[in-house]
């Protein structure tokens, strides 16, 4: 009976693989594209849950880095099981596209990614509190950011 269970377990079990970690001594703790900045260490939530594309080939995650509190929040995307394919889509303290000089604040936990690698995410900005929340779609193929929705603006196709 034990041999049967072992055969079943080795034939069908998929062991998890870490793409990124916050273990400072590990190369998997390097944030892709940020020149030596590492994912934030500690035991609290440095990584939120990952979100996967419908076919499972792409992923996106909201996480923190160790660059300091005004630029540590970010959205990272990639594909496969290697951090080598990852890139930072958006980062706290950087310009919020399409908002005329406003910058990203913190990002929300929920993200989405489709099979083409387009990423949807929401963020707080330094705009007035009546217009600071924004939902973006980042188009991977063209590197274009589209404002999908913004607090305080008329929703497309809805009566005013």
């Amino acid at each position: 009976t034990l041999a049967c269970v072992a055969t079943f377990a080795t034939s069908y079990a998929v062991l998890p693989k870490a793409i990124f970690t916050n273990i400072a001594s590990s190369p998997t703790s390097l944030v892709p594209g940020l020149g030596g900045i590492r994912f934030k260490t500690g035991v609290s939530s440095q990584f939120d849950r990952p979100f996967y594309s419908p076919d499972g080939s792409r992923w996106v995650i909201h996480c923190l880095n160790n660059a300091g509190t005004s630029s540590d929040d970010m959205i990272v995307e990639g594909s496969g099981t290697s951090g080598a394919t990852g890139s930072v889509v958006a980062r706290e303290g950087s310009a919020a596209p399409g908002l005329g000089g406003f910058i990203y604040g913190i990002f929300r936990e929920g993200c989405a990614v489709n099979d083409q690698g387009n990423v949807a995410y929401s963020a707080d900005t330094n705009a007035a509190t009546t217009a600071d929340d924004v939902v973006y779609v980042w188009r991977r193929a063209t590197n274009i950011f589209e404002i999908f929705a913004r607090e305080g603006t008329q929703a497309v196709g809805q009566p005013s």
Side-chain angles (χ1 to χ4, degrees):
T1 308
L2 183 59
C4 181
V5 172
T7 301
F8 178 78
T10 58
S11 298
Y12 298 100
V14 177
L15 298 176
K17 179 180 186 326
I19 297 173
F20 297 117
T21 70
N22 63 349
I23 301 168
S25 60
S26 172
T28 60
S29 70
L30 289 167
V31 178
L34 292 188
I37 293 176
R38 295 187 178 275
F39 290 102
K40 192 170 188 174
T41 58
V43 293
S44 62
S45 297
Q46 313 307 340
F47 297 95
D48 287 328
R49 76 177 277 292
F51 293 86
Y52 296 93
S53 60
D55 70 2
S57 66
R58 301 200 155 278
W59 46 263
V60 63
I61 190 167
H62 167 247
C63 49
L64 302 175
N65 66 55
N66 67 357
T69 57
S70 62
S71 61
D72 66 344
D73 210 12
M74 60 190 171
I75 304 294
V76 177
E77 64 82 35
S79 63
T81 59
S82 167
T85 65
S87 68
V88 176
V89 173
R91 182 177 174 199
E92 179 184 15
S94 59
L99 296 184
F102 291 110
I103 62 171
Y104 286 125
I106 59 171
F107 297 96
R108 308 293 185 247
E109 292 178 17
C111 304
V113 61
N114 67 12
D115 294 341
Q116 292 74 43
N118 300 326
V119 173
Y121 63 95
S122 60
D124 194 22
T125 68
N126 67 338
T129 57
T130 57
D132 63 341
D133 292 314
V134 183
V135 178
Y136 281 99
V137 174
W138 172 66
R139 305 280 179 193
R140 173 177 248 296
T142 57
N143 196 32
I144 291 176
F145 292 81
E146 297 175 18
I147 296 175
F148 182 76
R150 183 176 182 194
E151 179 182 21
T153 61
Q154 180 66 35
V156 176
Q158 297 300 308
S160 52

